[in-house]
Amino acid sequence: MGLISKKDTKLITDPLADNNPITIQVLGICSALAITAELKASLVMGIAVLFVLGIGNVVISLMRNIIPSKIRIIVQLIVVASLVIIVDQVLKAYAYELSKTLSVFVGLIITNCIIMGRFEAFALGNGPWRAFLDGIGNALGYAVILLAVGFFRELLGSGTLFGIPVLGDPIEKTGLYSTGYENNGFMLMPPMALIIVGLIIWVQRSRNTTLIED
Amino acid sequence: MIEHIELFFKSIFIDNMVFAVFLGMCSYLAVSKKVATAVGLGAAVIFVLAITVPLNWLLDQYLLQPGALVWLGPEFAEYDLGFLSFIMFIATIATMVQLVEIVVEKFSPSLYNSLGIFLPLIAVNCAILGGSLFMQSREIETLGLAINYGISSGIGWFLAILAIAAIREKIRYSNVPAPLRGLGITFIVTGLMGIGFLSFGGMLTGGDEEVKDEAKEVVMETSEVEKEEDNQIKTVN
């Protein structure tokens, strides 16, 4: 592909696996755990972070030579807060039920450490196009983990995916439920999200032993 | 008085910032390797929350709520500046944290050195902004309750990071599988602690129904739906 050089494609693919913002860089944990009880919420959150991080990275990168070092945190916070206000208002206007489920976690995208982390680590030192790719890559890495956790929690917790029952009907006892299988309601409780992420980290580090810490 | 006590215990145990709503996880995971630094950070979080939640309550009450600007004049009663909440809250928090940093540097240089980068990082700690946002979404009624909420949610976070730091110090000599060492086992242990804290859920019954988190609502809705449909099946038969 002539549009994105080989070095730049790594900006997108690295955070999807070996430099994943949640499991390796340990950023953005809060929202990854709190709203993943439903796949729909996970998807919307992923898209929201994609928007904020992509555009935010570009804006900060364009301003990088004129921001005085002493107030750069405040400038970053203002940029992120403005973008998040836009996301929040759009959500409230077009998907009110979903914005109620996500409640304060849309606002907490402001303090999502991935965004500030990438601003500091990348956008302040690189051009706008590369900053955009880096933002997209990290947001996708974040979204992948969110979707994985949401997938297991919703499937095992309510037997549905995106609200569509896939294992049969738990009331009528069709499909898998006829064998006596019951939904594990515990999966919808917050602590299980922590344990699922722990297991994902286990799998990831077993496959790539360079990531193991002592 | 009773609502103060109820809010105090509810914020520490039932709506614990770490175990129930996962706020402040990044610094929770990063600073919990030693009990001494964990105690320092926890104390700083309590202090910052105790100051910023009431301040943001005042902002919300007199500036941001729908109809809040009535004190300027009756023609302002319809204004709703709620959409500015995020920017105003984060601005207050960033300023207060800067102030705390200056005060700590002056009065306790050793604490300042041991906290290092984490003090300015408290400004972007989701627990601080989360405290203010939950204060707003749960419509805390008085300034006294706001101060109470700030302090008690801080204490809840402090308890959590203290516990995990103590546990991480102990398991350093345990035989954890290599891929799980460090971050992985911390997640799983935190999950187990969260399960333990769930047992506090029955502690204060007859409280505020809206405060239950979404997960519990979903579980209850499915079981209620099942009961209704069981009843319908019975009546059909």
Side-chain angles (χ1 to χ4, degrees), chain B residues 131-200:
Chain B
S132 294
L133 288 178
F134 274 117
M135 173 274 303
Q136 191 188 42
S137 83
R138 288 175 190 170
E139 294 174 5
I140 304 254
E141 275 130 34
T142 69
L143 186 62
L145 280 174
I147 300 177
N148 183 338
Y149 182 69
I151 296 180
S152 50
S153 28
I155 294 180
W157 198 87
F158 173 75
L159 251 171
I161 197 174
L162 186 62
I164 193 72
I167 293 180
R168 283 183 87 172
E169 275 192 0
K170 294 267 178 197
I171 62 174
R172 203 170 298 147
Y173 302 107
S174 302
N175 220 353
V176 180
L180 264 185
R181 246 183 260 143
L183 192 65
I185 198 68
T186 308
F187 267 100
I188 297 186
V189 168
T190 311
L192 294 173
M193 283 203 283
I195 296 177
F197 267 68
L198 280 177
S199 61
F200 288 117

Side-chain angles (χ1 to χ4, degrees), chain B residues 5-42:
Chain B
I5 299 180
E6 219 181 74
L7 182 65
F8 189 74
F9 285 109
K10 197 194 281 199
S11 312
I12 297 182
F13 294 111
I14 304 182
D15 292 326
N16 185 289
M17 279 208 149
V18 171
F19 300 125
V21 275
F22 304 122
L23 300 179
M25 288 299 294
C26 306
S27 36
Y28 170 88
L29 292 168
V31 183
S32 53
K33 292 193 180 128
K34 287 179 63 176
V35 174
T37 31
V39 166
L41 184 63

Side-chain angles (χ1 to χ4, degrees), chain B residues 48-59 135 143 146-148 150:
Chain B
V48 175
L49 269 173
I51 299 182
T52 54
V53 170
L55 266 179
N56 282 329
W57 185 89
L58 285 170
L59 265 180
M135 173 274 303
L143 186 62
I147 300 177
N148 183 338

Side-chain angles (χ1 to χ4, degrees), chain A residues 187-201:
Chain A
M187 274 289 177
L188 299 172
M189 303 250 106
M192 292 315 291
L194 283 162
I195 296 185
I196 292 180
V197 176
L199 295 174
I200 293 179
I201 294 177

Side-chain angles (χ1 to χ4, degrees), chain B residues 71-152:
Chain B
W71 55 274
L72 268 181
E75 65 274 13
F76 289 102
E78 284 137 29
Y79 283 41
D80 177 8
L81 292 177
F83 66 95
L84 285 178
S85 304
F86 295 153
I87 283 201
M88 302 252 42
F89 285 175
I90 201 81
T92 342
I93 291 171
T95 329
M96 284 319 301
V97 169
Q98 190 66 33
L99 269 171
V100 167
E101 202 185 328
I102 296 176
V103 164
V104 165
E105 191 177 7
K106 185 146 176 99
F107 288 109
S108 173
S110 57
L111 179 61
Y112 184 75
N113 283 329
S114 67
L115 281 178
I117 185 74
F118 295 114
L119 205 37
L121 231 49
I122 287 185
V124 295
N125 186 335
C126 26
I128 312 290
L129 183 60
S132 294
L133 288 178
F134 274 117
M135 173 274 303
Q136 191 188 42
S137 83
R138 288 175 190 170
E139 294 174 5
I140 304 254
E141 275 130 34
T142 69
L143 186 62
L145 280 174
I147 300 177
N148 183 338
Y149 182 69
I151 296 180
S152 50

